[in-house]
Amino acid sequence: MKALVRAERPTDRGAIDVVHLASFPTPAEATLVAKLRATGDLSISLVAELDKSIVGHVAFGGGRGLIGVLPAYRHQGIAAGLLEAGIETCRAAGVELPPAFVEPPTERTRQRREPLAMILALGPKGELGQSGRVPWDVREDRAFFATTTRGHAVIMGRRTWEERRSPLPGRTNFVVSTSIGPLEGAESFSTLSAAIAAARARGAMPFVIGGARLYEEGLGEATRVYLTEIGEPAPEADVFFHLDRSRLVEVASWFGASGERYRILEPLTR
Ligand SMILES: NC(=O)c1ccc[n+]([C@@H]2O[C@H](COP(=O)([O-])OP(=O)(O)OC[C@H]3O[C@@H](n4cnc5c(N)ncnc54)[C@H](OP(=O)(O)O)[C@@H]3O)[C@@H](O)[C@H]2O)c1
């Protein structure tokens, strides 16, 4: 199947970040793309989409060009397709082509820290859940969550799994529990570290998707946090998570149509 190359949308920003995190040995390139966007210097930004998953990205801006493709989708002509479309778009828009191009190493070099992502939405008081569900229904945030995690491995606690009782489509589903039996469409692990190791062994980016205990435990190892701050309080909330923002550095932030704020955060290394 040929990848569809199209312009980025706001809900693609997390998935683009993940492409570069998975492509390069350090988060520097992912952060560069976010910074270029924030300063208005990201002249051209195109994604490669395959079966609704963002699998590649090309960026031109600030006198540079940068290309990333998820490791599982290399050697399929996706980088070449992105590059061709990127050059054409630059020419049509009168954007000067950069003298140098940043490309990921052909063979993945050893990571300083293996990537581990966390994605969550929090209310103003740390509200996380209500009666076994997410307290709000923000359409753009649902799209952001789906686009960011699609094609990767999602790791959730038993109660979060029980909320749906069916796997999230297009993702490898892992459930962490000491009590749950065999599952249809998901695998269970008795510890978070076993689930993370299983995701990595399959070449998938592990995403911790909740609830509170998994976030608490995962934060120590996380290399990226995708946080949606919902302004509307949820007075009936019964699950809370205190995210210690003093341990996190902001890479990017923007607002959604309903006033919610999306933030890409990088935990400080100890
Ligand atoms: N706002 C958001 O972004 C977001 C994201 C996810 C979930 N939620 C909401 O949060 C609520 C669920 O969260 P929750 O914190 O109550 O429950 P949860 O984390 O989904 O599930 C808790 C259960 O998961 C297992 N578990 C969790 N951490 C474990 C660990 N480190 N090792 C072994 N087992 C572990 C345990 O199962 P056993 O008892 O079987 O051992 C534990 O009882 C729901 O309302 C859901 O909708 C919100």
Side-chain angles (χ1 to χ4, degrees), residues 156-158 175-181 188-192 213:
M156 69 199 93
R158 174 179 52 80
V175 179
V176 182
S177 164
T178 54
S179 65
I180 212 162
S188 64
F189 295 86
S190 59
T191 63
L192 174 60
R213 194 169 136 201

Side-chain angles (χ1 to χ4, degrees), residues 52-82:
K52 295 190 195 155
S53 297
I54 305 294
V55 299
H57 177 244
V58 69
F60 292 91
R64 298 173 205 230
L66 197 121
I67 193 159
V69 174
L70 289 176
Y73 296 90
R74 301 252 171 92
H75 312 298
Q76 296 176 29
I78 292 171
L82 276 168

Side-chain angles (χ1 to χ4, degrees), residues 16 21 26 31 45 67 72 86-87 103 117 135 142 173 186 188-189 198 266:
I16 290 169
L21 280 188
T26 78
T31 301
S45 176
I67 193 159
I87 291 170
E103 269 187 90
R142 273 193 280 119
N173 286 244
S188 64
F189 295 86
E266 185 167 272

Side-chain angles (χ1 to χ4, degrees), residues 132-242:
R133 308 189 63 79
V134 174
W136 325 267
D137 187 15
V138 180
R139 202 167 143 212
E140 192 172 332
D141 183 50
R142 273 193 280 119
F144 179 74
F145 174 86
T147 310
T148 307
T149 58
R150 203 166 167 104
H152 305 292
V154 287
I155 304 174
M156 69 199 93
R158 174 179 52 80
R159 286 191 63 204
T160 299
W161 165 262
E162 284 171 353
E163 181 187 338
R164 296 179 49 90
R165 290 199 175 273
S166 63
L168 285 158
R171 283 149 274 200
T172 305
N173 286 244
F174 292 145
V175 179
V176 182
S177 164
T178 54
S179 65
I180 212 162
L183 303 169
E184 208 166 302
E187 278 176 61
S188 64
F189 295 86
S190 59
T191 63
L192 174 60
S193 53
I196 294 171
R200 287 179 179 153
R202 290 174 206 192
M205 165 73 87
F207 264 91
V208 175
I209 65 159
R213 194 169 136 201
L214 284 190
Y215 287 139
E216 191 62 56
E217 203 177 313
L219 192 58
E221 215 196 306
T223 56
R224 248 352 183 224
V225 176
Y226 301 95
L227 169 67
T228 306
E229 290 176 339
I230 309 282
E232 186 192 331
E236 308 290 315
D238 50 20
V239 181
F240 293 80
F241 176 62
H242 171 70

